[in-house]
Amino acid sequence: MRLASYAAVSVALVLIAAKLVAWLLTGSVALLSSLVDSVLDGFASIVAFVAIRQALTPADKEHRFGHGKAEPIAALGQAAFIVGSALFLSVEAVRRLWSPQPVAQQEIGIAVMVFSILLTLALVAFQRHVIRRTGSLVVSADSLHYKGDLLINLSIIASLVLTGWFDFPLADPVFALGIALYLIWNARGIGGEALDMLMDRELPDEERRSILVMARDHPGVLGVHDLRTRAAGPDRFIQMHLELDGTTSLAKAHAIADAVEAKIEAAFPGADVIVHQDPHGIPDAPRDNPPAPAGT
């Protein structure tokens, strides 16, 4: 995760410098939109870097559940910053629609966009590897920006070609406006996912079902209830009540709970799993969990 944040910040700084020079030479508002997006990426990557450092800080006596929520807080800030920048870009694009301006030295702009695409492809590939390993929300949000950049850079190449070679100056602000709308749509998804994590939304149903299956698979477990799950950045928290034979000794009940915890922790590395044991058949035991798939 740290390596991914270092790589993202470095790529963003290189692209900001290259696109700033290209925009000053061409005057293209579409290229300006790409520059704004790269500035966003740089800001988001720096926020991600800080959030990852905080999220990976071990739990302490003031933060017994760790610091994982630094990730969704950072992602929410990223989303707000993206929306603000997209609105600024929209205003500039509308102004250019009413007053189109010529674009100069399109070849330089196209060359910078091709360079940006190649560098971004390498970064996205590395981020995808990190996300598979860690499931990090903030790296995922950061990667989403750069994936969007690939489409943005391709659209800007099309804009420069249409404006410079086919004398269609309106293509420049039209593409810029489309990019602004795309950024707002992405921010909506990032913000929603961050809010879910901050509000302690349950893990996806598929993961909850797999947890129930693993718990019920133990021969000493007669039932499961009160499964509660949540995520905080890279950390998962899983709690449940196991229903055991009421005559089971305390030592045996403890051993069964340990075995279930170990199995779940193996499937969800790094998860904080807490299991409580209840005698089977308690009449007021909640039954609000999704059933396991048939045959389990």
Side-chain angles (χ1 to χ4, degrees), residues 89-112:
L89 184 57
S90 299
V91 171
E92 180 66 15
V94 170
R95 188 179 69 82
R96 287 290 186 95
L97 280 172
W98 289 108
S99 179
Q101 297 181 16
V103 175
Q105 303 189 57
Q106 296 86 2
E107 293 80 5
I108 293 177
I110 292 172
V112 169

Side-chain angles (χ1 to χ4, degrees), residues 87 180 194:
L87 292 176

Side-chain angles (χ1 to χ4, degrees), residues 104-167:
Q105 303 189 57
Q106 296 86 2
E107 293 80 5
I108 293 177
I110 292 172
V112 169
M113 290 300 99
V114 171
F115 170 73
S116 299
I117 288 171
L118 294 176
L119 193 58
T120 303
L121 278 172
L123 176 62
V124 167
F126 178 56
Q127 288 175 324
R128 185 182 304 160
H129 168 72
V130 173
I131 293 167
R132 281 199 303 265
R133 291 280 304 275
T134 67
S136 169
L137 174 63
V138 74
V139 175
S140 180
D142 208 27
S143 182
L144 185 59
H145 302 159
Y146 289 100
K147 288 177 183 176
D149 283 356
L150 295 174
L151 296 176
I152 290 171
N153 292 336
L154 288 171
S155 72
I156 291 171
I157 290 174
S159 167
L160 292 172
V161 169
L162 288 172
T163 302
W165 298 351
F166 294 94
D167 194 25

Side-chain angles (χ1 to χ4, degrees), residues 4-5 29 34 40 44 63 67 92 101 132 134 142 152 160 175-176 183 185 189-191 221 228 242 281:
S5 66
V29 70
S34 182
L40 283 174
H63 305 88
H67 301 78
E92 180 66 15
Q101 297 181 16
R132 281 199 303 265
T134 67
D142 208 27
I152 290 171
L160 292 172
F175 274 88
L183 290 174
W185 178 259
I190 294 169
V221 175
R228 298 180 182 183
L242 299 182

